């Protein structure tokens, strides 16, 4: 069922199923194509029974998407964002994120929808207002960093988890220590802006950041603590480690864009990012070129030396392209033996320079001892100039045609 959705790795289903939050794969009309185990458990339905249902019907109990639906915003504006939402059908608050998935020609045809239950954090804030004693019992057992900040950005309370993160032992906390004493200046500046926002508006605020301390990703929830007069007297900060969730999102996104054997972009990834490069070239008033190449004797190598050796040659060819081209160039494998490269032209990246560099590296590869074969690569180049109406697909076709012409000329000469 999952493989029919054109994911590029046999491990895709296990990665998707392992996400700990309710997660769905949707089409662009909000119809459920697949669900993970967490979603089936949360909705108390089998995965088969969820297919074809509208996501907003399952979570919100409505006949249309809610007003702040992040999927609707992504489809209309292209902006991917994480939104905290009330979901009436399952009676809870969730942190909802939507990420695009593309088909083989770079069109967005599916969406990864992840809903992280935020009820634990909200319950902790509510408990603080009702009872400090009950609050302490909850926050000390939490795996999230939870602390109170006053108007001068000084700690009023720190739970055990956050004490550990800032390098303090339990019982060593002294009220009044300043946030800047434990964090870098850039983190402190951002933190102060977020705290000031809540003090000024009296409304909760969320911020996602990458910690300079250990490189982990956290979602901070800033919530006002109000006195009897309604004035905000302090800020409760709950910092939730969302590193694993981000890694899973990145893994799924990578599976949709990259070739498993070489690590290069696949056709979908190439078309997506090459289109972005065309926009950059247009903005800079620069030309660009697209190179199409194929390994001429790959079938012969596989036949005479085995598939494993053939796969090794493909990976070595991929490394050859990485050596020849710049880090900013878009390199992809779009077939068993076919590679494409999109490169914005510059003084050190003209057609002649690229041909010379490529031939030099290919000659060095073939000069290696102990190889019973020569690696033969045919190339063709198509140029893009500002004002052209050619699409990426047109450029690929033009460069491929040039490659076949060069291949024919070489064999007849």
């Amino acid at each position: 069922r999952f493989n029919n959705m054109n994911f590029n790795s046999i491990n895709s289903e296990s990665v998707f199923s392992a996400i700990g939050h309710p997660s769905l794969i949707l089409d662009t009309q909000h119809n459920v194509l697949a669900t993970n185990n967490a979603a089936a458990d949360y909705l108390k339905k089998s995965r088969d029974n969820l297919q074809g249902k509208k996501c907003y019907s399952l979570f919100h109990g409505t006949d249309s998407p809610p007003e702040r639906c992040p999927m609707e915003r992504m489809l209309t504006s292209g902006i991917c964002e994480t939104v905290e939402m009330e979901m009436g059908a399952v009676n809870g608050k969730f942190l909802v994120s939507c990420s695009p998935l593309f088909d083989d020609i770079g069109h967005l045809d599916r969406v990864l929808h992840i809903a992280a239950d935020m009820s634990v954090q909200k319950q902790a804030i509510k408990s603080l207002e009702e009872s400090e004693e009950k609050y302490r019992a909850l926050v000390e057992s939490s795996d999230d960093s939870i602390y109170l900040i006053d108007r001068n950005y000084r700690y009023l309370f720190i739970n055990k988890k956050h004490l550990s993160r800032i390098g303090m032992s339990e019982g060593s906390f002294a009220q009044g220590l300043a946030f800047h004493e434990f964090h870098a200046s850039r983190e402190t500046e951002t933190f102060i802006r977020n705290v000031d926002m809540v003090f000024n508006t009296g409304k909760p605020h969320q911020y996602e950041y990458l910690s300079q301390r250990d490189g982990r990703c956290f979602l901070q929830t800033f919530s006002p603590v109000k006195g009897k007069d309604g004035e905000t007297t302090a800020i409760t900060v709950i910092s939730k480690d969302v590193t694993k969730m981000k890694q899973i999102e990145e893994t799924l996104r990578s599976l949709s864009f990259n070739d498993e054997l070489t690590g290069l972009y696949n056709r979908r990834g190439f078309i997506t990012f090459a289109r972005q490069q065309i926009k950059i070239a247009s903005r800079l008033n620069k030309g660009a070129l697209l190179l199409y190449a194929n390994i001429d004797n790959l079938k012969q190598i596989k036949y005479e030396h085995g598939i494993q050796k053939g796969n090794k040659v493909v990976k070595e060819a991929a490394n050859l392209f990485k050596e020849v081209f710049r880090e900013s160039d878009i390199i992809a494998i779009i077939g068993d033996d076919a590679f494409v490269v999109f490169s914005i032209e510059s003084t050190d990246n003209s057609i002649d320079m690229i041909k010379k560099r490529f031939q030099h590296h290919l000659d060095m590869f073939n000069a290696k001892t102990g190889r019973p074969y020569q690696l033969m690569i045919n190339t063709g180049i198509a140029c893009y100039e500002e004002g052209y109406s050619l699409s990426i697909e047109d450029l690929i076709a033009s460069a491929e045609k040039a490659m076949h012409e060069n291949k024919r000329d070489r064999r007849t000469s």
Side-chain angles (χ1 to χ4, degrees):
R1 182 174 61 222
F2 191 84
N3 290 338
N4 290 336
M5 291 157 43
N6 296 325
F7 274 67
N8 296 314
S9 168
I10 58 174
N11 296 319
S12 297
E13 183 171 9
S14 59
V15 172
F16 180 65
S17 297
I19 302 176
H21 302 293
S23 303
L24 314 171
I25 301 292
L26 308 171
D27 65 16
T28 56
Q29 302 301 315
H30 298 267
N31 296 308
V32 175
L33 300 178
T35 62
N36 69 349
N37 293 330
D41 293 342
Y42 210 91
L43 295 167
K44 297 180 174 59
K45 296 180 183 291
S46 69
R47 294 172 70 174
D48 288 336
N49 287 337
L50 291 172
Q51 284 193 337
K53 302 290 195 301
K54 298 287 187 181
C55 62
Y56 47 79
S57 174
L58 293 172
F59 283 99
H60 298 278
T62 60
D63 295 326
S64 60
E67 182 179 349
R68 298 175 62 240
C69 176
M71 178 172 166
E72 284 289 295
R73 180 167 170 78
M74 184 193 71
L75 292 175
T76 55
S77 67
I79 298 174
C80 297
E81 62 181 2
T82 300
V83 177
E84 185 177 332
M85 305 186 73
E86 291 272 5
M87 293 188 175
V90 290
N91 192 27
K93 290 185 178 180
F94 289 77
L95 190 66
V96 181
S97 65
C98 291
S99 301
L101 299 173
F102 299 87
D103 62 18
D104 289 336
I105 60 172
H107 291 154
L108 189 158
D109 67 340
R110 292 155 299 150
V111 174
L112 171 64
H113 178 290
I114 299 178
D117 190 343
M118 300 296 291
S119 60
V120 175
Q121 290 85 340
K122 295 302 178 183
Q123 182 60 43
I125 296 172
K126 182 179 179 180
S127 298
L128 172 66
E129 296 171 347
E130 295 174 347
S131 168
E132 182 178 353
E133 182 178 350
K134 183 179 179 181
Y135 168 78
R136 286 181 178 273
L138 285 170
V139 298
E140 293 296 5
S141 63
S142 174
D143 197 43
D144 300 332
S145 288
I146 302 176
Y147 45 96
L148 281 175
I149 294 290
D150 67 13
R151 286 185 177 273
N152 296 314
Y153 322 109
R154 296 184 177 276
Y155 288 109
L156 300 175
F157 168 79
I158 304 177
N159 76 336
K160 294 177 183 178
K161 180 67 176 182
H162 195 61
L163 282 173
S164 175
R165 275 197 54 74
I166 63 177
M168 295 183 68
S169 60
E170 187 178 348
S172 62
F173 168 67
Q175 183 172 319
L177 294 175
F179 184 89
H180 71 81
E181 297 178 51
F182 302 95
H183 298 83
S185 58
R186 185 178 299 176
E187 284 186 328
T188 300
E189 291 172 5
T190 302
F191 181 82
I192 288 174
R193 284 199 300 270
N194 288 320
V195 169
D196 286 346
M197 182 184 300
V198 179
F199 270 119
N200 292 335
T201 65
K203 296 179 180 180
H205 172 64
Q206 286 189 326
Y207 179 77
E208 191 174 287
Y209 79 102
L210 189 67
S211 171
Q212 295 183 26
R213 187 185 305 276
D214 53 17
R216 300 188 68 80
C217 188
F218 290 86
L219 177 68
Q220 286 182 324
T221 301
F222 299 80
S223 299
V225 178
K226 298 184 178 182
K228 293 181 179 180
D229 58 359
E231 290 293 320
T232 300
T233 59
I235 304 294
T236 302
V237 182
I238 300 175
S239 188
K240 185 174 187 63
D241 190 337
V242 293
T243 306
K244 187 175 181 180
M245 179 177 174
K246 291 297 179 181
Q247 289 172 342
I248 291 172
E249 289 178 357
E250 187 58 35
T251 298
L252 287 171
R253 191 175 293 112
S254 175
L255 289 173
S256 132
F257 283 144
N258 293 92
D259 172 67
E260 189 174 2
L261 177 63
T262 63
L264 297 178
Y265 289 122
N266 56 22
R267 179 182 289 271
R268 180 187 299 117
F270 177 78
I271 290 176
T272 299
F273 293 108
R275 284 173 177 163
Q276 296 176 4
Q277 288 294 90
I278 281 184
K279 293 178 181 178
I280 293 174
S282 297
R283 190 164 61 246
L284 298 176
N285 294 318
K286 288 181 176 284
L289 58 88
L290 189 147
L291 178 140
Y292 188 103
N294 86 316
I295 304 174
D296 194 18
N297 55 340
L298 180 61
K299 290 182 180 179
Q300 180 183 348
I301 293 172
K302 286 184 177 181
Y303 178 76
E304 295 179 358
H305 305 284
I307 293 176
Q308 266 193 322
K309 183 64 69 175
N311 288 341
K312 183 179 180 182
V313 168
V314 173
K315 289 193 283 188
E316 289 173 334
N319 290 331
L320 181 68
F321 283 99
K322 292 177 185 177
E323 292 172 2
V324 172
F325 290 92
R326 303 167 300 181
E327 194 172 326
S328 59
D329 297 329
I330 308 299
I331 309 172
I333 181 168
I334 60 172
D336 291 340
D337 60 0
F339 295 83
V340 285
V341 182
F342 187 86
S343 177
I344 295 177
E345 285 189 287
S346 63
T347 54
D348 65 341
N349 211 46
S350 64
I351 292 178
D352 290 338
M353 290 290 292
I354 288 174
K355 286 180 177 179
K356 289 178 181 179
R357 284 205 310 266
F358 188 84
Q359 191 60 49
H360 173 70
H361 282 81
L362 182 59
D363 291 342
M364 289 179 59
F365 176 88
N366 283 325
K368 292 179 180 177
T369 59
R371 294 186 184 278
Y373 54 83
Q374 293 283 298
L375 181 60
M376 299 170 61
I377 297 180
N378 303 302
T379 63
I381 295 177
C383 294
Y384 170 86
E385 295 182 13
E386 174 63 17
Y388 278 21
S389 60
L390 290 176
S391 67
I392 288 296
E393 292 84 357
D394 292 332
L395 286 170
I396 292 175
S398 180
E400 183 179 9
K401 181 181 178 182
M403 183 274 295
H404 285 299
E405 291 174 352
N406 292 338
K407 181 178 178 179
R408 185 173 56 252
D409 293 343
R410 191 185 72 184
R411 288 181 173 176
T412 55
S413 61

